[in-house]
Amino acid sequence: MNLSQQRLLLDHLDLVQQSSKSFDAPSEWVSINNRGAAYLEFLVALKLDGQLGGGVSLRIRTPQNAWDAEVYGQIEVSHTILASNLRIAPVEWRPRRQHRNTPQAPKILASLTLNDRYHPYEVNRQFEDIDIFLQNATGIAAPFPRAILSFNDYIEFSADIWKCADVRGIPEPPWSKELF
Amino acid sequence: MVQGVVLNSKNLQKVADNVARALSFAQTNGTSAYITTAVTYANGTAVIVRVDNSGNDFFVTDDGFGYQSAELMGAENSFNKIAPNVASRFGVEFDRHSFFVLKVNEAQLPAAVATIANVSATAVERTIFAIEQHKAKQSMVLFENKLQEAFGDSVQFEAKIQGATKEWKFDAALTTTQGVSSIFELVSPAYTSITSAHMKLGDIRHLARHPKAIAVLRDYDKTDPGYRSILSTSSDSVISIDRDVSTFKKVA
C-alpha cells in the first residue's frame, strides 16, 4: 500500500467515523464454531448517512458460553486492496485479556493497563498511522466513562460511540450457560 | 462416502413403483379425469391435465392452470401473447386461456397428456423469462434517463475503463476534463450480476487513484442483504435505481 492509498483510507475512516450510521438490513445473532471455538456473532452492513457503500459493517462477538462478559464490538471497513479489515472504535466489555497502552499515548492514558475499555477514534487517529486501524500497531484504549453493568448498558454506550442508534435494538446474545 | 442400503431387486422394484405412483396419479369426477403429472410449473406445483371422455374419444386440456399460474404473477397479458406460439410449436391448440387437444383415442392418451403438461409448463416458464427481459430493459432505460438528466453529455454509456488488472466495460462512466471521475454499473439481484459487478468494480478500486465506483441496484430490496454488503466493499456507493436524480449527482 503506498502513501497515497493510505491517505485515502484514512480520509475514508474519517468519513465513516463522522457519519450517522444505520443498519442496511435486519440482522441476528448467529452461532459460529471454528476449530472448536464456539462463539456468537452479530454482523450487519452499515449505511453512512442513509447510504450503503464503502464496505462498512458492525461486528460484535462473544463466546457462546460467556455470560454478561467478553463482548467485543467494532466498526469494520473492508476494502478490496486490503487483506484484512480496518477496525474503528472497538468497545470491549469484560474482555478476557488486558490491554496495555504504549508510553506514546496521551499523558492521561500512557502506559495504562485496562480491562473494560474502548479505543477512542480521535485519540488513535492523531498518529496518522493506518497500521493502528489494521491492528499491526498498538492502539490507544481508554476506560469506560461510566460503569457498564449489563449488555443493555453496553449497547447504549456503544450506540453513542459508533453513532448508530440501531445498535440499541440489538437483543442480548443467546449465551448458553455451562455447568462446570 | 455415503453407503447406501442394498435392496434386493424385488424391494427396489417396489420402491421404484411407489415413486412412480407418487409422481403421477389420477382422480376421476364424473366424465372427467384429473391426472397429476410429474411435470411441474416454475413455482413447483405439479401440472394437472384434465381428460374428458366422449364416446370412444378423449379431450385433453390443462384446464387453464397455466394461465392461472401466470395470472398469480400478474403476467396474464404476457401469457396470452406467448401461449399461441408455444401451442403451435407443440402442435396443440390454445383458446380461452387453455391448451387442449380436441380428440385422441385411448392409445394416444399418454402422449397427449404428456404434451399438454409440457406445453402448459413451458408457456409459464417463457412468460417468466419474458417478464424478466422486460424488467431488465425497463431498468436500463430508467438508468440511462436518470444519468442523462443528472450529467448530460458528460456521461458515456458502455464505457471501456482500464482497471488495475484489465480493461472492463461498464454501463456508464462520467468524465470531466481530468478524465473518468465516476463509474456506474447497473446490477440485478442475480448472483452472476453481483459477482460480475463486484469483480469489475473491485479491480477499479485497486487503482492507486480510482474513479468513484457506484453500484446501481435494479431492485434494492430483492437484492440479498449479504450480496449488498459484499458489493459495498467494492463500491463507494450502492444505491437503488429508484433514487432521484439528486442522489445520482450526490454520489458521483
Side-chain angles (χ1 to χ4, degrees):
Chain A
M1 196 189 332
N2 60 42
L3 283 172
S4 173
Q5 286 170 320
Q6 286 183 46
R7 166 109 317 256
L8 284 171
L9 283 171
L10 286 170
D11 287 346
H12 183 52
L13 292 187
D14 288 341
L15 174 71
V16 172
Q17 168 61 17
Q18 289 155 20
S19 301
S20 169
K21 300 168 202 63
S22 54
F23 292 177
D24 180 54
S27 189
E28 57 186 10
W29 288 100
V30 294
S31 179
I32 296 174
N33 204 327
N34 285 337
R35 298 180 190 170
Y39 57 90
L40 300 165
E41 183 175 271
F42 187 95
L43 178 64
V44 63
L46 295 178
K47 291 180 178 176
L48 306 180
D49 294 326
Q51 183 67 58
L52 182 66
V56 187
S57 55
L58 167 71
R59 189 191 306 267
I60 306 178
R61 274 190 183 174
T62 180
Q64 180 92 51
N65 61 358
W67 197 272
D68 277 354
E70 290 196 73
V71 178
Y72 310 91
Q74 61 201 27
I75 301 285
E76 292 185 353
V77 178
S78 297
H79 196 289
T80 49
I81 66 169
L82 296 171
S84 58
N85 292 342
L86 294 156
R87 178 178 85 153
I88 300 180
V91 182
E92 295 168 333
W93 181 45
R94 294 175 179 164
R96 179 169 287 216
R97 295 184 188 84
Q98 294 175 327
H99 173 90
R100 293 191 188 92
N101 283 339
T102 64
Q104 283 80 30
K107 203 169 171 187
I108 197 169
L109 299 172
S111 302
L112 217 55
T113 299
L114 293 162
N115 289 305
D116 279 351
R117 60 192 179 252
Y118 74 113
H119 293 232
Y121 180 77
E122 294 75 15
V123 170
N124 286 278
R125 179 65 175 88
Q126 67 184 314
F127 295 98
E128 298 281 334
D129 185 358
I130 198 75
D131 278 334
I132 289 176
F133 301 99
L134 283 169
Q135 300 183 70
N136 296 333
T138 304
I140 310 296
F144 292 151
R146 60 180 186 267
I148 305 287
L149 300 174
S150 66
F151 183 76
N152 206 55
D153 289 346
Y154 174 87
I155 54 173
E156 277 295 328
F157 174 67
S158 299
D160 289 338
I161 295 296
W162 296 329
K163 296 190 177 67
C164 181
D166 286 342
V167 167
R168 294 191 171 89
I170 297 177
E172 196 173 86
W175 285 302
S176 52
K177 259 183 178 163
E178 279 183 7
L179 294 173
F180 294 97
Chain B
M1 186 182 78
V2 175
Q3 280 199 311
V5 174
V6 176
L7 294 170
N8 61 38
S9 62
K10 262 194 192 167
N11 286 340
L12 182 58
Q13 181 68 52
K14 195 175 166 191
V15 167
D17 284 341
N18 287 340
V19 170
R21 263 192 290 274
L23 284 172
S24 188
F25 54 91
Q27 290 165 305
T28 54
N29 184 3
T31 55
S32 297
Y34 294 87
I35 302 172
T36 299
T37 69
V39 180
T40 53
Y41 292 113
N43 64 0
T45 54
V47 178
I48 295 177
V49 175
R50 194 185 95 216
V51 174
D52 289 345
N53 182 211
S54 176
N56 290 332
D57 296 318
F58 297 89
F59 169 76
V60 184
T61 177
D62 78 332
D63 219 12
F65 282 128
Y67 173 82
Q68 283 176 39
S69 288
E71 202 179 20
L72 285 171
M73 293 182 272
E76 60 272 26
N77 290 338
S78 296
F79 182 87
N80 282 337
K81 286 182 195 156
I82 287 165
N85 194 35
V86 176
S88 168
R89 282 169 171 263
F90 277 79
V92 303
E93 309 288 331
F94 178 77
D95 190 25
R96 295 186 191 191
H97 310 313
S98 298
F99 294 100
F100 60 92
V101 174
L102 211 46
K103 199 156 70 166
V104 293
N105 60 39
E106 191 175 337
Q108 294 167 318
L109 260 181
V113 168
T115 300
I116 290 295
N118 280 307
V119 75
S120 189
T122 300
V124 171
E125 200 171 307
R126 291 201 188 158
T127 301
I128 293 169
F129 182 73
I131 296 169
E132 287 297 312
Q133 292 288 93
H134 182 61
K135 270 191 204 162
K137 272 188 201 162
Q138 280 185 320
S139 296
M140 185 52 80
V141 168
L142 183 62
F143 173 77
E144 288 176 357
N145 286 346
K146 286 209 173 161
L147 286 178
Q148 260 166 345
E149 193 182 331
F151 307 111
D153 292 335
S154 301
V155 69
Q156 182 196 346
F157 294 104
E158 296 196 359
K160 287 185 183 166
I161 310 288
Q162 182 65 39
T165 315
K166 71 184 289 299
E167 188 181 76
W168 303 100
K169 194 161 89 168
F170 288 96
D171 291 319
L174 184 62
T175 49
T176 66
T177 49
Q178 285 157 346
V180 178
S181 61
S182 306
I183 289 171
F184 295 83
E185 184 75 353
L186 184 61
V187 187
S188 84
Y191 172 80
T192 48
S193 183
I194 301 281
T195 52
S196 168
H198 181 58
M199 180 171 62
K200 287 158 55 177
L201 293 171
D203 196 46
I204 291 295
R205 288 185 97 216
H206 265 87
L207 293 167
R209 291 173 147 251
H210 62 80
K212 281 196 182 170
I214 298 145
V216 182
L217 302 188
R218 259 212 290 129
D219 193 327
Y220 195 97
D221 292 330
K222 282 200 178 141
T223 305
D224 181 272
Y227 289 166
R228 295 202 302 255
S229 179
I230 286 170
L231 266 182
S232 162
T233 66
S234 55
S235 314
D236 292 289
S237 299
V238 179
I239 62 172
S240 164
I241 197 174
D242 296 322
R243 297 299 289 271
D244 55 38
V245 170
S246 61
T247 301
F248 282 76
K249 285 183 182 174
K250 186 177 158 192
V251 299

